[in-house]
Amino acid sequence: MTEMTGVARTDDHAPAAPPDDVPIVRPAHTARCTASGLIAVTALVACSAAWQAWGSYALVRDPAAEAAQLVAANGRAVTLAWVWLVGSVASTAAFATWLRRARANSARICAAPHRLGPGWVVGAWFVPGLNLWLPAVVVSDVWRASNPDVPPRGADLRAVPTGWVVGLWWGASLLSLLAEAVGVVLAGGHAVAAFGAVYAAAAVGAGLTVVAAAAVLYLMRRVDRWQTGREAVTA
């Protein structure tokens, strides 16, 4: 008969606890929350601008509308356009701040090389022409390297499928900018048709902005959750 002792036996199949000195990755939750708030506000401003464009279109079609009303409506539209522009710049800067930390974390938990170096986290947004593509490359590699299904060592990020959310975010972002640019070009006209075209461009741009915002908020949250508590395999 086996002698009973006061010491509990250890299950041979239980995973061993990681040593206390193993470095653990900690995502930039504060940067993500800041970026998320600014992105959400910018999307709300885009929707407000579309609503204002509709109001201007309705006024110019109304024979009883006074010129002062149209001037005031146009003034509000210009104000919203500037607020949207400032919000877009601020939210992009906040997103780049989060992305810089997320990129560093992804390089620590997955040794696979990224296609672009760390400096491109910021630089990718400022290279004319290439900024239509490079930011998505940076984000795509961060997404892939953060995915817990990707081996920490020996992986090739180019062979890892890109999440659909990355393509949705970047595609909607570019198309929303295009729609806003079309609206700005058409805003100089005074005919009823010009106001209608501006409203259509603003509405499309607002819808795409909301889609892009929802996608990037999900993207940031998912990457942070993937990185939370992960063991670093590189310095």
Side-chain angles (χ1 to χ4, degrees), residues 31-234:
R32 176 170 64 86
C33 290
T34 301
S36 298
L38 289 172
I39 290 169
V41 169
T42 302
L44 180 61
V45 172
C47 293
S48 299
W51 179 256
Q52 182 59 54
W54 164 254
S56 297
Y57 180 49
L59 276 175
V60 78
R61 294 176 61 194
D62 185 1
E66 299 179 357
Q69 292 178 295
L70 189 55
V71 171
N74 285 335
R76 290 191 295 270
V78 171
T79 299
L80 286 172
W82 277 106
V83 172
W84 175 84
L85 178 61
V86 172
S88 296
V89 173
S91 59
T92 299
F95 175 73
T97 301
W98 169 86
L99 183 59
R100 182 178 180 183
R101 176 68 175 274
R103 202 269 184 201
N105 283 342
S106 67
R108 295 183 66 203
I109 62 181
C110 180
H114 290 228
R115 285 173 287 178
L116 298 173
W120 286 106
V121 171
V122 175
W125 302 87
F126 296 100
V127 182
L130 294 180
N131 55 7
L132 299 176
W133 169 63
L134 291 184
V137 173
V138 175
V139 174
S140 177
D141 283 355
V142 170
W143 175 276
R144 293 168 173 174
S146 301
N147 191 329
D149 293 333
V150 177
R153 298 186 184 277
D156 182 359
L157 295 184
R158 292 172 298 180
V160 179
T162 302
W164 59 267
V165 67
V166 177
L168 178 63
W169 157 67
W170 191 240
S173 297
L174 292 180
L175 290 175
S176 68
L177 289 175
L178 177 61
E180 295 292 344
V182 170
V184 170
V185 171
L186 296 176
H190 299 286
V192 175
F195 280 88
V198 169
Y199 161 64
V204 171
L208 290 168
T209 299
V210 170
V211 171
V216 78
L217 293 182
Y218 173 81
L219 184 155
M220 291 191 294
R221 184 172 181 272
R222 174 57 66 89
V223 168
D224 272 7
R225 290 185 64 184
W226 276 344
Q227 294 182 352
T228 299
R230 296 278 295 278
E231 178 182 338
V233 298
T234 62

